Amino acid sequence: MPSQFVQDIMGVVTFRNPGEPEFHQAVQEVVESIAPIVVKHPEFIKMRIVERIVEPERQLMFRVPWVDDAGEVQVTRGYRVQFNSAIGPYKGGLRFHPSVYLGIIKFLGFEQVFKNALTTMPIGGGKGGSDFDPKGKSDNEVMRFCQSFMTELYRHVGADVDVPAGDIGVGGREIGYLFGQYKRLTTQFTGVLTGKGIAWGGSLARTEATGYGLIYFVTRMLKSRQVDWDGLRVVVSGSGNVAIYAAQKATDMGANVIAMSDSSGYIYDPDGIKVNTVRVIKEGERGRIREYIDNHPSAEYHDGCQGVWTIPCDVALPCATQNEIDAAAAQTLVRNGCFAVGEGANMPSTNEAISAFRDAGIAFGPAKAANAGGVATSALEMAQNSMRTAWTFEEVDRKLMGIMDDIYDQCIEAAEAYGRPGDLIVGANAASFIKVARAMIDQGLV
Ligand code: NDP
């Protein structure tokens, strides 16, 4: 019965959303783990909760024309998928990357619904972005693009409607330009975006939150196996916002971060990567990770980002992008003795990789739980904006730690309740699905 249910749902999803493999993959992962629960709840079946939850409430696609520094007109495409508002206004980041198309935004929006439910904060799920590539663009080009993007988006967002944030390619600079244009168009200074500058409504610790939250979550995973971070060899993929602060917090906790990457290649430093150097290169200079060896000649640089998974480690933290760990990479990690994986990126492991980790019995923290600290802290930014107040770094960090602990406990309890003790994937999917499903039932057929 559960497998027939999965087949039926996937049949509709693939028919209705052709050519969107990432979205199919994200739905399959969730539906497979909740099917045994759904079939035991006739009210979920009767109200067609799963059929409704896989269908976005609204999908927006729009033209974003802008002029580059050479005076040439460029045409890019913008997206905002408002997936589910059962438990609060839509909330989720914007991704600017040439690989963006509707299927990527839908997979991210779908995941966001469940992640946001786990945070215990009142936020629904959404996601957006563009195929615009900020890499190599001047600040003025990025500004002109952001202004054009917001000139359409502003009609669809608002502090109580939909609150976007950053993601790949969208950091403080982009949020600033987007916010400025929103304010100009609406004459309102409201908390319509999170990840804002500290001087104009941003929250302390938001920049660090996803990476720090990931480490707080993995700390609980390790603790359940009576292990702490001291001396553990950690491989972190990516060198963006999530990767940098995960690497920094892991180092603070006593771990030895030996490798990091970007989309061109990876660095290996057996003595421990100096995270501050990476931060200066990537955040300050928008440079490439290979420049690290200019300052640290004992480290190695290798072309090709996939090689990072061949480095023997105890803990792997994929913090770059979707599907960066396939079955072969997962098997290599397991063979080399890796015993814990915490997903900082969204859907970084293919479903085959997850099976390999499960078969090997290693500790696995799925993205929607492990990287939820970013959006949780965005919700704390929204709370501070509504209250017209600002909390200290320590206060926000303490709340973040409490939220990550709570997410971990919810996952463990739900996994136990549904007969899969210790399985954080089942726990995360079950706990969040039930919360959203009940809210949808309470609100009638909408
Ligand atoms: P950034 O843009 O700051 O950094 C992305 C990093 O990943 C860069 O090092 C980039 O390399 C690398 N990367 C991007 N695309 C690819 C690719 N196709 N192949 C290999 N490497 C790639 O993004 P974030 O750190 O914000 O996001 C990273 C991941 O974390 C994403 O999956 C995002 O959805 C997820 N996430 C982010 C949150 C946040 O608060 N920022 C919250 C929760 C999840 P290069 O510099 O060469 O492009």
Side-chain angles (χ1 to χ4, degrees), residues 79-162:
Y79 302 87
R80 187 71 185 166
V81 172
Q82 299 178 328
F83 222 109
N84 192 301
S85 60
I87 61 174
Y90 310 105
K91 178 92 198 88
L94 297 171
R95 176 176 293 190
F96 294 168
H97 193 271
S99 63
V100 165
Y101 76 106
L102 187 59
I104 293 277
I105 300 299
K106 271 156 74 177
F107 114 66
L108 289 164
F110 181 73
E111 285 284 293
Q112 197 81 48
V113 174
F114 302 98
K115 178 189 312 199
N116 292 5
L118 284 175
T119 64
T120 69
M121 311 293 286
I123 41 178
K127 199 84 188 186
S130 173
D131 53 359
F132 172 75
D133 185 1
K135 220 177 276 169
K137 304 286 190 303
S138 70
D139 287 353
N140 274 332
E141 288 176 318
V142 171
M143 181 177 73
R144 286 193 294 272
F145 168 79
C146 287
Q147 290 177 339
S148 181
F149 184 86
M150 186 51 90
T151 300
E152 172 60 32
L153 188 70
Y154 88 98
R155 309 165 212 284
H156 311 290
V157 295
D160 294 315
V161 180
D162 183 352

Side-chain angles (χ1 to χ4, degrees), residues 93-97 99 107-108 112 115 127 133-135 165-171 206-211 237-244 260-265 282-283 286-289 305-306 318-322 324 343-348 367 370-375 378:
L94 297 171
R95 176 176 293 190
F96 294 168
H97 193 271
S99 63
F107 114 66
L108 289 164
Q112 197 81 48
K115 178 189 312 199
K127 199 84 188 186
D133 185 1
K135 220 177 276 169
D167 190 81
I168 291 178
V170 179
R206 172 61 188 93
T207 304
E208 294 82 356
T210 311
S237 68
S239 47
N241 173 263
V242 180
I244 287 172
M260 292 182 78
S261 62
D262 63 16
S263 59
S264 309
K282 299 299 281 189
E283 278 184 358
R286 299 186 189 277
R288 307 304 299 159
I289 195 102
C305 48
Q306 276 306 101
C319 295
T321 195
Q322 65 276 354
E324 51 173 314
E343 293 189 322
N346 284 310
M347 205 169 77
N371 74 23
V375 72
S378 277

Side-chain angles (χ1 to χ4, degrees), residues 345-362:
N346 284 310
M347 205 169 77
S349 316
T350 63
N351 288 343
E352 295 73 30
I354 293 173
S355 300
F357 292 141
R358 263 196 173 126
D359 292 348
I362 77 169

Side-chain angles (χ1 to χ4, degrees), residues 64-76 137 141 144:
V64 188
W66 56 282
V67 179
D68 68 18
D69 285 348
E72 297 289 329
V73 172
Q74 302 290 335
V75 182
T76 43
K137 304 286 190 303
E141 288 176 318
R144 286 193 294 272

Side-chain angles (χ1 to χ4, degrees), residues 3 6 53 124 218 296 419:
S3 66
V6 175
I53 225 167
V218 176
H296 304 284

Side-chain angles (χ1 to χ4, degrees), residues 135-401:
K135 220 177 276 169
K137 304 286 190 303
S138 70
D139 287 353
N140 274 332
E141 288 176 318
V142 171
M143 181 177 73
R144 286 193 294 272
F145 168 79
C146 287
Q147 290 177 339
S148 181
F149 184 86
M150 186 51 90
T151 300
E152 172 60 32
L153 188 70
Y154 88 98
R155 309 165 212 284
H156 311 290
V157 295
D160 294 315
V161 180
D162 183 352
V163 184
D167 190 81
I168 291 178
V170 179
R173 174 182 60 170
E174 290 75 18
I175 294 291
Y177 295 148
L178 291 164
F179 184 81
Q181 185 71 354
Y182 179 84
K183 194 179 58 167
R184 188 177 190 198
L185 290 165
T186 61
T187 67
Q188 286 181 9
F189 195 115
T190 63
V192 64
L193 291 156
T194 57
K196 298 185 291 298
I198 302 303
W200 43 278
S203 175
L204 287 162
R206 172 61 188 93
T207 304
E208 294 82 356
T210 311
Y212 280 20
L214 171 66
I215 300 304
Y216 299 150
F217 191 88
V218 176
T219 302
R220 293 290 306 273
M221 289 164 49
L222 295 176
K223 209 166 164 191
S224 75
R225 298 186 174 213
Q226 287 83 45
V227 179
D228 64 29
W229 287 98
D230 217 19
L232 293 186
R233 294 163 308 160
V234 178
V235 166
V236 180
S237 68
S239 47
N241 173 263
V242 180
I244 287 172
Y245 294 98
Q248 189 215 81
K249 183 54 87 176
T251 307
D252 293 349
M253 304 282 256
N256 191 23
V257 176
I258 53 176
M260 292 182 78
S261 62
D262 63 16
S263 59
S264 309
Y266 69 94
I267 51 168
Y268 170 58
D269 191 341
D271 298 333
I273 286 177
K274 314 298 173 288
V275 182
N276 204 41
T277 307
V278 177
R279 207 171 59 77
V280 170
I281 294 170
K282 299 299 281 189
E283 278 184 358
E285 299 160 5
R286 299 186 189 277
R288 307 304 299 159
I289 195 102
R290 81 170 80 84
E291 293 161 34
Y292 180 89
I293 59 170
D294 299 343
N295 291 307
H296 304 284
S298 64
E300 297 168 17
Y301 172 76
H302 299 269
D303 274 326
C305 48
Q306 276 306 101
V308 79
W309 306 122
T310 62
I311 298 173
C313 64
D314 303 302
V315 178
L317 303 176
C319 295
T321 195
Q322 65 276 354
N323 292 331
E324 51 173 314
I325 304 187
D326 58 11
Q331 280 150 8
T332 306
L333 281 167
V334 170
R335 217 174 23 249
N336 286 339
C338 173
F339 62 82
V341 175
E343 293 189 322
N346 284 310
M347 205 169 77
S349 316
T350 63
N351 288 343
E352 295 73 30
I354 293 173
S355 300
F357 292 141
R358 263 196 173 126
D359 292 348
I362 77 169
F364 183 80
K368 62 174 73 68
N371 74 23
V375 72
T377 308
S378 277
L380 297 177
E381 182 172 328
M382 290 164 71
Q384 292 169 80
N385 292 164
S386 300
M387 293 163 73
R388 302 272 189 267
T389 192
W391 297 326
T392 62
F393 188 98
E394 291 69 28
E395 214 168 339
V396 178
D397 192 30
R398 201 169 46 245
K399 287 185 202 299
L400 168 64
M401 206 182 288

